Amino acid sequence: MSPFPTDMIPNILCRLPVKTLLRFKCVSKPWGSLIDASHFVKSHLHQSLKTNNNVKLFLDNGAEIDDNAYAVDFDSLNNLVQFPRPFTAEITKYRSRIIGSYNGLLAVYHREEGIALWNPSTRKCHYLPALDEDISMDHDTIPGYNYDNSTILGFGYDKITEDYKVVKMLRSKTQNCFKVTIYSQKSNTWRRIKDCPYDIPINYNDGAYVNNAIHWVGDEILSGRNVIFGLHLNTEEYLEVPEGKRSSEDKKCGAYYCEGFSYMNVGVLGGCLCVSRDFSSCPIEDHVNIWVMKEYGVKESWTELLYLSRNQWVTNIFHTRAVGYARDGNKVLLDDGGGQQPAWFNLEDESSHLLCIPGAPQLVSTIIYVESLVSVS
């Protein structure tokens, strides 16, 4: 019998889940070195993204003091696992939250303790250094346990420099602006960049990473016009996303005039930028529309995906954000950031049902991530 060809081993291993690979590191020193090698980490990640395997749904407990985090297979919603969080959740302390996910890394924010990059698959965590005092001391903090409009956050990956980055905007006490700092994983340092040219009077979710930029909803400082804007992670320039139609061709609410809305949550759905429009001033019924930008930067590619009315929807519609499509593309998972139970919306018959994971908390904020071996530092 001929020996097994060793050049086939990497090709086989890159198809296995992270938990199995971590055990296989103990098989031999060559296998351990292979699994730790940067080229293998990239190959494994590429294989998972190409096949859409090893995709997990992270469940972030938004209502209880809980030191554990939870995850399930996104397709089946089975195989519940729990693991310790990077920051503890003492009853007298603030809870931490996930501010973004990319390539298997999660960025975790705790109001008092700081920010960490965390790979829940490898259980590795890296705590980011603190900001310089001249910036942190000028922060106009607002009491609260969750989102506030004085601390704006985002996490993404600069594909040009291959560097994971965290953006932190702090509302200044002494100046009418947000002072902006950006963290680089490669240098493990924070650096001040130009102030944000937009105000963010309402903050319901963290930045959405698409096309090498992190996006938020804000207002032009002079005109007060409500816009979707981004920060490009490589050029560090601010950009404005072109707006789509102000109203739908088919107004499901039945109102003759229903164009007055404000943008609420910006997110990512199927790799595309998406946004929810709040029509709480509609004369017929309060509702929210979710629109998807099918081709980034192209105004005409904005497409209305779904319509939610207050009376018909099963959760808090005005904080609703899209999390992800089901594998068949017929359903969308929606949540409101942790105060209510997430729910599935069926795009074909417009029905809905709550997300129920036996053994997991019910009132959760959810985020999708792919298992990977990517290093946190």
Side-chain angles (χ1 to χ4, degrees), residues 37-279:
S38 60
H39 65 85
F40 179 82
V41 171
K42 290 181 180 179
S43 296
H44 179 266
L45 175 63
H46 175 74
Q47 179 68 21
S48 295
L49 295 174
K50 183 178 71 173
T51 59
N52 208 28
N53 291 330
N54 301 321
V55 178
K56 300 292 183 179
L57 181 66
F58 185 89
L59 309 171
D60 198 12
N61 195 339
E64 303 172 3
I65 301 300
D66 192 346
D67 284 340
N68 291 318
Y70 305 82
V72 292
D73 296 338
F74 183 54
D75 288 336
S76 66
L77 300 181
N78 293 326
N79 301 319
L80 177 70
V81 295
Q82 67 179 53
F83 27 73
R85 303 175 64 92
F87 299 105
T88 58
E90 299 174 29
I91 196 166
T92 57
K93 299 288 186 180
Y94 297 106
R95 292 190 295 269
S96 61
R97 73 172 189 264
I98 308 300
I99 64 174
S101 163
Y102 198 76
N103 287 348
L105 295 189
L106 304 183
V108 190
Y109 169 71
H110 189 283
R111 182 162 180 169
E112 291 184 345
E113 302 298 326
I115 299 175
L117 294 183
W118 179 36
N119 186 328
S121 304
T122 63
R123 307 296 196 268
K124 300 291 185 180
C125 184
H126 172 67
Y127 296 92
L128 276 56
L131 290 177
D132 292 339
E133 283 194 6
D134 62 331
I135 297 175
S136 59
M137 294 299 289
D138 188 38
H139 184 199
D140 188 13
T141 56
I142 297 176
Y145 285 88
N146 207 340
Y147 298 96
D148 68 72
N149 62 352
S150 71
T151 307
I152 309 301
L153 302 162
F155 172 62
Y157 179 67
D158 184 349
K159 295 181 179 179
I160 299 172
T161 60
E162 298 185 339
D163 193 7
Y164 294 92
K165 295 182 176 181
V166 177
V167 174
K168 190 172 189 178
M169 305 186 190
L170 302 179
R171 189 182 297 275
S172 172
K173 289 180 183 177
T174 57
Q175 304 172 38
N176 184 28
C177 69
F178 278 98
K179 293 182 177 180
V180 183
T181 56
I182 189 165
Y183 168 84
S184 161
Q185 186 202 50
K186 281 190 172 181
S187 65
N188 193 35
T189 58
W190 291 94
R191 183 169 51 83
R192 176 87 181 272
I193 62 173
K194 66 179 69 174
D195 295 342
C196 179
Y198 301 92
D199 187 26
I200 305 177
I202 299 174
N203 179 34
Y204 288 122
N205 69 324
D206 299 300
Y209 172 77
V210 177
N211 204 50
N212 222 48
I214 302 176
H215 303 78
W216 300 268
V217 169
D219 294 344
E220 284 187 334
I221 292 177
L222 295 179
S223 68
R225 185 171 64 94
N226 193 218
V227 299
I228 304 167
F229 74 94
L231 173 64
H232 196 279
L233 290 181
N234 185 256
T235 65
E236 297 176 357
E237 296 292 334
Y238 296 93
L239 55 96
E240 194 169 309
V241 177
E243 183 180 51
K245 293 180 180 179
R246 296 292 298 180
S247 65
S248 172
E249 298 291 339
D250 177 24
K251 298 183 178 68
K252 294 185 180 181
C253 62
Y256 176 74
Y257 179 81
C258 186
E259 296 185 4
F261 67 85
S262 60
Y263 291 117
M264 298 300 288
N265 292 329
V266 63
V268 183
L269 191 58
C272 298
L273 193 68
C274 67
V275 68
S276 62
R277 293 176 169 183
D278 168 16
F279 288 89

